[in-house]
Amino acid sequence: MTTVIWIAVALLLVGVYLSWTAGRLDRLHARIDAARAALDAQLLRRASIAQELATAGVFDPAASMVLYQAAHAARLAQEEQREVAESELSQALRAVLAETAQVRVLRDAPGGEAMVDELVAAVRRVPMARRFHNDAVRAARAVRRHRTVRWFRLAGHAPFPMAFEMDDEPPTSLTRHATA
């Protein structure tokens, strides 16, 4: 009789552990979803501001066209091309705003001060949002690598979480100006 009780207690403990692990994994997946939504919002905000800058008439036509096309491509990119499109927008921003003089010209334009401040905030928030997303992905991957999670299929049908890798380095003229 005592053997049956011990087996029942052991099964109960295993069940509680598996339930706790499944709940933890579910919370991690929810955290990934929330972090991805925040990242998408920041990327969209950055692309919108870049498009606004490109159509402001402050830059020369070639720079405006490069910036507009990169921002437009980033906004409309399909999921599998999103990282590349966002990296190209980062490169376009660095190319167009390579010199501090460009930022000064932009600030001197009507409404330019607010636009530059919005852009500075956007290019600061994108790396943070990406870091939060990738940290959540890393935590979920660590849990999903455990044998018990794989053996008992505790992840269910949730897709394997993928990190978002892109070039998010801001233009140096913006970062220097923001700290000055």
Side-chain angles (χ1 to χ4, degrees):
M1 183 69 174
T2 57
T3 307
V4 172
I5 293 174
W6 283 111
I7 290 174
V9 168
L11 287 176
L12 180 69
L13 289 176
V14 168
V16 167
Y17 172 75
L18 292 176
S19 175
W20 176 80
T21 304
R24 179 175 176 220
L25 193 55
D26 187 49
R27 287 188 302 276
L28 286 171
H29 282 135
R31 189 172 127 201
I32 289 171
D33 291 342
R36 181 58 186 241
L39 176 61
D40 286 341
Q42 293 305 322
L43 292 171
L44 182 62
R45 180 173 182 227
R46 183 181 74 149
S48 298
I49 295 168
Q51 273 187 322
E52 196 175 320
L53 284 174
T55 58
V58 177
F59 301 120
D60 62 276
S64 292
M65 184 59 75
V66 166
L67 188 57
Y68 183 83
Q69 286 178 344
H72 185 68
R75 288 182 69 166
L76 298 179
Q78 296 297 321
E79 194 61 37
E80 57 274 354
Q81 295 297 319
R82 185 90 187 266
E83 293 173 351
V84 174
E86 294 294 345
S87 293
E88 288 173 355
L89 177 56
S90 295
Q91 293 165 1
L93 283 168
R94 282 196 306 270
V96 170
L97 300 171
E99 299 173 9
T100 310
Q102 292 283 64
V103 177
R104 256 184 274 130
V105 167
L106 186 57
R107 279 197 181 274
D108 293 340
E113 188 76 31
M115 235 187 288
V116 170
D117 291 342
E118 280 186 66
L119 183 62
V120 167
V123 299
R124 276 188 182 167
R125 289 180 179 148
V126 166
M128 286 189 295
R130 188 174 72 86
R131 194 172 314 119
F132 287 141
H133 175 267
N134 289 348
D135 287 346
V137 166
R138 198 171 4 267
R141 283 180 171 181
V143 172
R144 286 181 73 145
R145 273 200 253 354
H146 290 130
R147 270 184 257 162
T148 54
V149 172
R150 290 192 321 261
W151 288 346
F152 292 100
R153 299 175 191 219
L154 298 180
H157 296 289
F160 193 74
M162 300 302 292
F164 194 87
E165 297 300 331
M166 64 172 268
D167 174 7
D168 60 4
E169 185 178 330
T172 55
S173 60
L174 283 180
T175 55
R176 271 188 298 204
H177 188 72
T179 58

